[in-house]
Amino acid sequence: MFDRQKKGDRAILVLPHSRGEGDAARRGEEFAELVSSAGAEILASIPARVSEPNPRYYIGTGKADEVAEAVRALEADLVLVDHVLTPVQERNLEKHLKTRVVDRAGLILDIFAQRARSHEGKLEVELAQLKHLATRLVRGWTHLDAQRGGAIGNRGPGETQLETDRRLLAERVKMLTKRLEKVQVQRDQQRRSRLRNTVPRVALVGYTNAGKSTLFNALTTGGVYAADQLFATLDPTVRKIDGLSCGPAVVADTVGFIRELPHDLVAAFRATLAEARDADLLIHVSDAADEERELLRRVVNAVLEEIGAGDVPQLSVMNKIDLIEGAEPRVDRGDDGKPRTVWLSAHSGAGLDGLRDALGELLGGDRVRAELRLPLTAGRLHARLKAAGAIAGEAVDEHGWQLDIDAPRSVLAPLAGDDAHGSPLRELIDPPHAEH
């Protein structure tokens, strides 16, 4: 077993691809961006066509020899492989190349560890890293495997140390899981509070580096970090939007999606993904200047399906039109006449008014705004309307309450069953000739 260096960021990239894979060049560029985002120096990129994965190295033995020669010639500190490797493949490559090997999942986990800022985000990343490490513990102690006692059943120091590491890791995972459950309870309470207030909920989703955080800041002045790099922001941030025709709304910025996002991360980042799943509307942000934007949109939609948000209504936003010569802000509408796609530049601000108008139209299309008179005996209904955040203003006299109702019809409908006083609320929800 070679002595693994603990430091060094001079990297050689190995880019596996299959025959006829149309987006191999794009994948290679994206992986290079990931590596740069992690802070590594790229010495060389070696493409590797993989018709059938080699169970030993994933890539072929000849290609493995080529990479080993490049490692020696360029004095590389690590090799980064643009594919998820099994623990055995990763260990075999390290032995053959005599240097550190990190696969795609390990690289993304490292970037997430660098970028997480909130307590919750750090816990989620560490949990995902430990789950990833659990299957790879053996490689650090292979040099002790032969140190066994003479009697049957005696365990050598290598096996003992490995078991100790596994026990410590399991205890840490258990502790992190408990901590995250507490944080999740707090965030669920905040989310339920927003649900009770019936404020429309919007979530920004999109492929990483599409400009979601820049758009979030332009809409809310939220102060979220934004940069031209992959996974610039990870932690879920929720801010209020004022000035919409439908009234106030809350918008959440979510983690950017990417191809082959490690499943441990999808499972770990429950908070930011829950914002998308529980939203009334998703703003699907795309880079309008990207030639492969439709392919990337399909990747995002596939992840949304995976987390249970595939049925949430979407408004498409084509961002970065300032990078397209002659492009102008506009709002495209569907066959039903509703806004479908907004073309804008979050960086310059061009088209933001069109997005605000579209949001107001989509979020406020099914709201009830009217006056409601309730007698003093309707205390239960008044209390439930107040708890639902449906009362915009009220006055009370000896006859009862005069309420200004402003709430989505879907929120008011379940409350109509409490109305035993001539059904004025039912008439508001579904009047024969009313203006909604």
Side-chain angles (χ1 to χ4, degrees), residues 180-325:
L180 274 173
E181 287 174 353
K182 291 182 180 179
V183 176
Q184 186 66 26
V185 168
Q186 296 172 354
R187 191 168 289 277
D188 286 344
Q189 289 173 344
Q190 296 171 356
R191 189 176 297 112
R192 282 197 297 269
S193 176
R194 293 199 298 272
L195 289 171
R196 283 197 302 268
N197 292 333
T198 69
V199 178
R201 304 173 309 283
V202 179
L204 292 171
V205 298
Y207 207 76
T208 186
N209 208 26
K212 296 187 309 304
S213 295
T214 303
L215 179 60
F216 182 86
N217 289 336
L219 282 174
T220 68
T221 63
V224 172
Y225 177 70
D228 185 19
Q229 57 184 200
L230 302 183
F231 302 122
T233 54
L234 298 179
D235 301 311
T237 307
V238 180
R239 293 288 186 271
K240 185 179 180 181
I241 308 179
D242 291 312
L244 302 180
S245 61
C246 64
V250 293
V251 61
D253 189 19
T254 66
V255 64
F257 297 156
I258 195 170
R259 278 175 286 205
E260 298 178 22
L261 190 66
H263 287 288
D264 284 340
L265 278 178
V266 173
F269 274 77
R270 293 172 296 176
T272 184
L273 298 177
E275 297 293 349
R277 188 173 57 248
D278 296 339
D280 298 307
L281 178 68
L282 298 179
I283 299 179
H284 189 158
V285 185
S286 301
D287 182 350
D290 193 327
E291 295 179 356
E292 296 186 341
R293 65 182 185 229
E294 291 305 319
L295 171 63
L296 303 185
R297 286 177 60 81
R298 289 196 294 271
V299 171
V300 173
N301 285 328
V303 177
L304 290 173
E305 289 284 351
E306 184 178 351
I307 66 174
D311 295 332
V312 180
Q314 289 190 18
L315 172 64
S316 296
V317 168
M318 293 296 169
N319 190 23
K320 304 185 182 182
I321 63 170
D322 52 311
L323 302 180
I324 304 176
E325 186 176 354

Side-chain angles (χ1 to χ4, degrees), residues 126 129 278 313:
E126 184 179 353
Q129 284 181 313
D278 296 339

Side-chain angles (χ1 to χ4, degrees), residues 314-316 330-343 358 361-362:
Q314 289 190 18
L315 172 64
S316 296
R330 70 176 191 269
V331 178
D332 296 338
R333 295 181 177 270
D335 296 336
D336 57 1
K338 294 182 179 180
R340 183 183 60 186
T341 306
V342 179
W343 297 75
E361 186 175 341
L362 291 173

